[in-house]
Structures are given as C-alpha cells and as structure tokens.
Amino acid sequence: MTRRISSSDPRRATARPALLSLVMGLTLAPMAASAAPEGRALYVEHCAACHLESRLGANGPALIPDTLGRMYGPKLEDVIAHGRAATQMPGFLEQIGPDGVAAIAAYLAEPLAETPTWGLEDILATRSFRDGYTHATTPVFAADPMNVTLAVEIADSHISVLDGDTFAVLTRFETPFAVHGGPKFSPDGRLVYIVSRDGWVQKYDLWGLTEVGRIRAGLNARNIAISADGKWLAVANYLPMTLTILDAETLTPAKVIDIKGKDGRPSRVSAVYQAPPRDSFILALKDIPEVWEISTLANPPHTGWVHDNRIEGPPDIKRRFPVRKITVDHILDDFFFDQGYEHLIGASRETEQAQVIDLVIGRKVAEIDLPGMPHLGSGITWPWRGTTLMATAHLKEGMISFIDMKTWKTVKRLETLGPGFFMRSHVNSPHVWADVFFGPNKDVMHVIDKETLEIVETLRPAPGKTVAHTEFTKDGRHALVSIWEDDGAVIVYDAATLQEVTRLPMRKPSGKYNVWNKITFAEGTSH
Ligand code: DHE
C-alpha cells in the first residue's frame, strides 16, 4: 500500500509542514505581505502542521476562500474555536482566545498570494492505493447490487451504502472532506468514484465494500466524470485551471490539460460531463465563451480535434484526449443534455437566455428564454404529448420552467414556494419531485404531476428543516428525500401513495445515487 495521508492519519499530530510539503510534492508559493499578520503568525504556529503553510491542505482540508465558502455546518470561527465533531480538528479557543480565533479567520479569508502549480508529479505524489487489490467478483452482501443506493453525508464526510429494497445500511465509509457533485459509477455499477472540493478522488469497490485508493487530482475541484468504457476519469478543476485525466483502474494521472481558449485566455472548468454516446467528455468553462469536447477514443472518428493544450502526459498517452473547441456567444457554465447527447443546453449568467448547442455541427441552433438563474445541472426530461419535456428549477426565483425539446419553447412556468436546487423523477413514476432549497419554505418538497404540470402535493416532513434532493429506487417504487441538517435523515417515501415508509438518521445527507438509475442514464435522474 502506498503512503496515504487522510484526515484520520495518526501521523497528523506529529507531521511538520516541511515534511508534508515534500510528501505532497507541493511548491510553496512565497507569501505576500498579509493584511492579517497576526492571523498568519497564529496560523503558522497552530494550523500549518495539518493544513500546510501554503493553506493547500494535507491531513486537514485546504483553507482557501474558494473552498471555505462551502464550509458545511458551523461557521469558520466556530470551527477554529471549538473544533469539528467526529474529526481530528481540535478547538483552539483556550489557547489563542477569541481575538486569535478572529485573526486566523481573517487571514484565511485572504486569497492565496500566488496561484500554485499542480502537475502530474504533484498529483502522483499524493496517490495512495491498495496495490495488488483485486475487485470483488461477487457482492459481499445479499442485497440486489443494482438497487444499491449511496447517501452522501456531508456533516462528517461519510457515505452510507443502502440496500435499495430493505433500506438497511450495508456499510458506512469515510470520504474526503466536502464531497461535491454526483459520484460516478463504473458502467457495470461495481465501482464508484467520488470527488471532493479539495480535489481528492476516491475509488471504492461497491461489491467488496472496500476503499481501493485516493489521489488529489486538483487543489480546488468541481466534479468528476467517467468515460463510457469506464477506463478514464476526468476531474474539473478551478485551481489550477486544468482538467485532470486519471486512469480509472489504477488511479494514476494520465494527462493534465491546461485550459486555454482559442485566444490563449485561461479558464476554470465549471464542470465536466460524460457523454457516453459520443465517447467524450464535455467541459463547461467558467471564464471563456467556449464549450470543449474531449474525445476518450484512441482514434476519434472525425476531424477538428486538436492537441495544443497537452501539457503533460506519458508517451503512450501523447495522442490521446484531443480537444474540440466550440465558440459560443456567451460564457456557459451549467449544462443539460438531451438523452442522445446531440444537444447541449447551456445557461448563461450574463443573459436571461440559455443557448442550445448542436454538438454534431458544433454551433448554436436555438435560444431559450430562461430568467432567474436556471439550475440546468439538475434538470430532467420525460416524454410528454408527443414531445420530450425538460424541467429545470431556478436558483433565484421560486419557479420551475418546462421546455419543449423539439421547439425549444417554454411550455409553462410553474410558481413554487421558493427557489429550488434539485429535481428528480423516474420512468415508472407519474411525478416530479422538486425541492425548495432557499427561503422560508426550505422545508417543503413539491410533488408535480408529469402530465398536467401542476403541483399535486406539497410535503413538509420536518417543519423548519431543509428538505432537499430526491432519488428513486431502481423500480421507482420508493423516493428517498434528505433532511439536510446535521442531525438529519433520509426519508423513504412510497412513491405512489406519497406516504412515509421509514426515516433513516443521517449526518446532513445531501445527494443520493441509485446504481441502476445512474449506470443506465435513466430519464429523470441526473447524469
Ligand atoms: Fe452543486 C451537482 C455546480 C452549489 C450540492 N453542482 C452539481 C453539478 C454542478 C454543480 C455543475 C453537476 C456535477 C456532477 O454531479 O457531476 N453547485 C454547483 C455550483 O455552481 C454551485 C451553485 C456553487 C458552487 O460553488 O459550487 C453549487 N451544490 C452546491 C451546494 O451548495 C450544494 C447544495 C451543497 C454542496 O455539497 O456543496 C450542492 N451539487 C450538489 C449535489 C450535486 C451537485 C448534491 C449532485 C446532484 C445529483 O443528483 O447528481
């Protein structure tokens, strides 16, 4: 087993920044004069052993504004003062007093003095792997492996593996800190890959219920995608501005692609999406008006692919993963795809319109009127009156838009009790489940009729608590809903009667992911 640094590593207490920098292969950026000098001094004394002087994280997570903005649970000062329950993070209030706590928090709010580099060698140096481990050939449990459902619990960085028929917890395993986006399953559903906002990728054998390895693919990552053949993983990074390609079998880095637009301008990657029918990854870019497609085939079928963004990669990978760059009118940073992956719908933060890009011809073919910051990533589709309907929630307005995917016209706007985040349905369900994530009604879940497009029920299972994100079981008979709180729960509903079946206590459960729904790219489930 290669060396691994995790938050539970016992060496954490004695580790020193210099040693960790070496182990992590990090180049420490020279620190610019800080506006919070006392905070910096206290940080170096008390925090750097675990979080590194560079603040890029080691045993403890990275402490940079990009990731701290997504702190789960208590606020930063509270964590510095009192520590974090069920983790190795102790409280420092007694040692440094309230002023010291405030000074460290102020220092951590400062951006990094320099953009750090994170290339192939750096990435490789963080890899820990069970060398010689062979994936389980049969499940070590009796449950239907295709109906297994994962529940991500972000309060204490764990995933509960649920039997999708009995809802028994088969196991609960530790993940990296701050998992974001959907875990991605191998095409046969036997392995799962998880990514954290700190850029750690975890590989887990679902049949063997065993962690296989981890590697830090980026310093501030967005999400992960897996190629149609299950051989390659792509990790979208904000910091540095790269896409990291990993060999899914060994978790070794194959290539780091520097994101530079046609005119050389760098960009963060908002998200990477897998497009199985196209054997490619599609990239949403945060800073430039381009959409990128990266082929995962050894010999891509058509021309238009370029290699100019390869910065590193072993010789056998040199000609792999060429890029096709499509120029678009506006920066598009949140995507939705039709079931055939022929069309991409991209949301623009600059306009009130989404653009429809035909991926075959590589240009815009329509615009959709979509104000209120649509959250396309959690959109869903279903057949409706001879066409396909797409539904998307809006992050800034209490409404859901329904769009005809033949004409790209908005068929209806449905008023809800507040802005929502996630939507879900299932081919066997007549309903769409849509949460109200923000505002005074964050404790409701709307159930909408897929035919009439009207709300038929509004559930309020835990008054005052955030209720969010639904996932269905393989057969669509049950819907699993999160009570998104530290001492929260996953509520299992009978999807037909809308009655509660059971409530499983969990630590701030966020997304749930059913193996079958995900590997079949089922309509109604996020891809
Ligand atoms: Fe997410 C998925 C982007 C904030 C929880 N989120 C995604 C995806 C994208 C995205 C592009 C699809 C990727 C995938 O699944 O592979 N999310 C963004 C943002 O841009 C945004 C608004 C701001 C940000 O800074 O990232 C954002 N997301 C959040 C949160 O605050 C949430 C609620 C809590 C958290 O964990 O950070 C959150 N996002 C999720 C979840 C999914 C997700 C649970 C997967 C949903 C699914 O069903 O697949």
Side-chain angles (χ1 to χ4, degrees), residues 70 72 180-182 184 197 222-223 421 424 469 513 526:
R70 294 276 142 210
Y72 299 111
H180 177 244
K184 300 294 161 8
R197 289 193 186 258
R222 299 286 298 159
N223 77 323
F421 224 107
R424 270 297 205 274
H469 194 277
Y513 309 91
S526 63

Side-chain angles (χ1 to χ4, degrees), residues 165-488:
D165 292 296
T166 65
F167 306 107
V169 179
L170 301 173
T171 192
R172 193 169 182 272
F173 66 89
E174 194 185 354
T175 67
F177 176 73
V179 166
H180 177 244
K184 300 294 161 8
F185 297 90
S186 58
D188 57 11
R190 290 160 63 165
L191 302 163
V192 66
Y193 302 90
I194 296 140
V195 73
S196 73
R197 289 193 186 258
D198 274 358
W200 283 98
V201 173
Q202 178 183 31
K203 175 175 180 176
Y204 190 83
D205 178 353
L206 272 179
W207 284 16
L209 299 182
T210 301
E211 175 170 340
V212 186
R214 287 189 196 200
I215 190 161
R216 193 172 188 184
L219 295 172
N220 181 221
R222 299 286 298 159
N223 77 323
I224 190 168
I226 185 167
S227 60
D229 59 9
K231 290 187 175 158
W232 305 102
L233 302 170
V235 181
N237 296 316
Y238 264 9
L239 187 69
M241 298 188 198
T242 56
L243 182 90
T244 303
I245 309 258
L246 301 171
D247 180 319
E249 175 70 24
T250 60
L251 273 198
T252 49
K255 198 166 181 176
V256 177
I257 299 176
D258 204 7
I259 307 298
K260 288 210 170 104
K262 286 177 180 172
D263 63 1
R265 252 191 307 159
S267 176
R268 295 166 289 174
V269 187
S270 282
V272 54
Y273 303 86
Q274 48 212 37
R278 308 179 60 79
D279 282 300
S280 66
F281 294 126
I282 313 262
L283 275 61
L285 303 178
K286 186 84 182 162
D287 306 302
I288 53 174
E290 288 178 22
V291 170
W292 283 21
E293 181 169 27
I294 295 184
S295 177
T296 57
L297 291 176
N299 296 299
H302 60 83
T303 54
W305 305 100
V306 291
H307 287 268
D308 62 336
N309 280 277
R310 176 177 57 79
I311 56 168
E312 288 179 283
D316 57 327
I317 302 290
K318 269 190 176 160
R319 297 300 300 165
R320 294 296 305 261
F321 311 111
V323 182
R324 175 181 173 226
K325 300 176 184 179
I326 301 169
T327 302
V328 288
D329 295 352
H330 303 284
I331 291 172
L332 303 176
D333 69 351
D334 186 16
F335 290 175
F336 184 80
F337 298 87
D338 58 8
Q339 283 290 107
Y341 284 84
E342 283 176 19
H343 295 96
L344 168 166
I345 301 135
S348 161
R349 303 289 174 239
E350 301 159 7
T351 71
E352 301 269 272
Q353 285 175 328
Q355 298 189 9
V356 182
I357 311 293
D358 184 322
L359 286 168
V360 180
I361 57 175
R363 65 177 172 80
K364 181 180 82 177
V365 290
E367 285 181 347
I368 308 173
D369 186 23
L370 274 179
M373 209 167 163
H375 191 232
L376 294 175
S378 65
I380 54 168
T381 61
W382 66 92
W384 186 79
R385 301 183 188 176
T387 183
T388 300
L389 215 56
M390 173 204 166
T392 178
H394 296 251
L395 295 175
K396 282 193 183 156
E397 283 180 41
M399 68 178 180
I400 290 170
S401 292
F402 299 92
I403 291 138
D404 181 333
M405 292 184 78
K406 271 188 188 158
T407 62
W408 303 114
K409 298 275 178 248
T410 305
V411 168
K412 176 172 177 148
R413 288 223 166 98
L414 178 69
E415 206 176 304
T416 60
L417 285 177
F421 224 107
F422 303 107
M423 305 187 68
R424 270 297 205 274
S425 187
H426 189 281
V427 69
N428 294 337
S429 167
H431 301 133
V432 169
W433 294 54
D435 59 41
V436 172
F437 202 87
F438 307 98
N441 297 311
K442 63 181 186 177
D443 56 356
V444 308
M445 175 72 70
H446 291 305
V447 181
I448 299 160
D449 186 299
K450 277 157 87 172
E451 171 55 28
T452 63
L453 312 183
E454 295 293 344
I455 295 171
V456 290
E457 188 79 59
T458 293
L459 305 166
R460 199 183 290 261
K465 305 203 162 156
T466 305
V467 172
H469 194 277
T470 305
E471 172 64 308
F472 284 80
T473 48
K474 175 181 153 190
D475 55 12
R477 282 181 50 218
H478 293 103
L480 281 62
V481 170
S482 292
I483 304 289
W484 198 294
E485 302 283 340
D486 261 10
D487 287 315

Side-chain angles (χ1 to χ4, degrees), residues 125-187:
T126 66
R127 177 177 175 269
S128 67
F129 204 77
R130 280 181 186 269
D131 290 322
Y133 177 81
T134 46
H135 302 149
T137 49
T138 50
V140 295
F141 46 82
D144 173 3
M146 291 295 113
N147 200 19
V148 158
T149 302
L150 304 188
V152 175
E153 295 177 67
I154 51 180
D156 65 353
S157 305
H158 275 73
I159 284 183
S160 283
V161 182
L162 302 177
D163 175 334
D165 292 296
T166 65
F167 306 107
V169 179
L170 301 173
T171 192
R172 193 169 182 272
F173 66 89
E174 194 185 354
T175 67
F177 176 73
V179 166
H180 177 244
K184 300 294 161 8
F185 297 90
S186 58

